[in-house]
Amino acid sequence: MKLMALQLLLWHSVLWTVQEATPLGPASNLPQSFLFKCLEQVRKIQADGVVLQERLTGCLRQLHSGLFLYQGFLQALAGISPKLAPTLDMLHLDIADLATNIWQQMEDLGVAPAVQATQGTMPIFTSAFQRRAGGVLVAANLQSFLELAYRVLRYLAEP
């Protein structure tokens, strides 16, 4: 993800240099049809870039929202078992760390929402059986979500 951010920063700096360049003189010797075709191509490329940025932003927001949701589910499982408590705590911290990293990346790219999502109503497990059953469901769904998140992040990291 850091490599992708560095690549985006590099491309942005290259494009900024081109954008700041001043024309050498009047373009009156260039055919109008050529100029109009170039303008049309630039508009198309800009539109494609906007679509790409929206999709990438959507991916990052969905990943962040999903991780934020699972943080709440893991909190609801607190007290599931003294033997599982250290593992549950570590998993909760790792998920919080990944969610924070994704949020910081969105902020760095200028695509983070103005306000972070707030935790909705989480289930309350009142018995040991409910915590164990909830733990099985949360763990299974979390595993599926993380596999999907891994594939998405791997896809975004490809050159």
Side-chain angles (χ1 to χ4, degrees):
M1 194 60 126
K2 289 181 183 178
L3 179 60
M4 186 175 106
L6 290 174
Q7 288 173 332
L8 286 172
L9 183 61
L10 177 64
W11 278 107
H12 184 269
S13 64
V14 168
L15 293 175
W16 183 261
T17 305
V18 171
Q19 188 177 17
E20 292 295 310
T22 56
L24 297 175
S28 60
N29 60 345
L30 295 173
Q32 287 294 323
S33 61
F34 170 75
L35 292 174
F36 287 131
K37 185 176 181 177
C38 288
L39 285 172
E40 182 181 319
Q41 288 175 322
V42 167
R43 279 190 216 106
K44 182 186 179 316
I45 293 168
Q46 284 176 327
D48 291 346
V50 167
V51 168
L52 178 63
Q53 183 177 6
E54 287 171 355
R55 289 181 182 172
L56 292 174
T57 299
C59 270
L60 291 175
R61 285 182 182 166
Q62 286 177 343
L63 287 173
H64 182 266
S65 294
L67 291 167
F68 195 71
L69 176 70
Y70 279 105
Q71 281 179 299
F73 286 152
L74 291 171
Q75 272 182 315
L77 293 174
I80 188 171
S81 160
K83 289 191 306 187
L84 294 177
T87 304
L88 190 63
D89 290 343
M90 184 62 72
L91 186 59
H92 188 265
L93 289 173
D94 288 343
I95 288 176
D97 188 42
L98 180 56
T100 300
N101 287 338
I102 289 174
W103 182 262
Q104 287 175 341
Q105 185 64 49
M106 290 190 310
E107 283 183 335
D108 291 348
L109 295 172
V111 297
V115 178
Q116 281 197 36
T118 57
Q119 195 72 55
T121 305
M122 288 293 118
I124 298 173
F125 302 113
T126 56
S127 71
F129 172 76
Q130 286 179 343
R131 277 192 294 280
R132 283 190 296 258
V136 170
L137 292 173
V138 168
N141 288 321
L142 176 60
Q143 184 65 31
S144 296
F145 174 79
L146 291 174
E147 287 170 4
L148 177 64
Y150 180 78
R151 287 194 310 263
V152 167
L153 291 171
R154 215 169 95 197
Y155 174 76
L156 292 175
E158 289 178 359

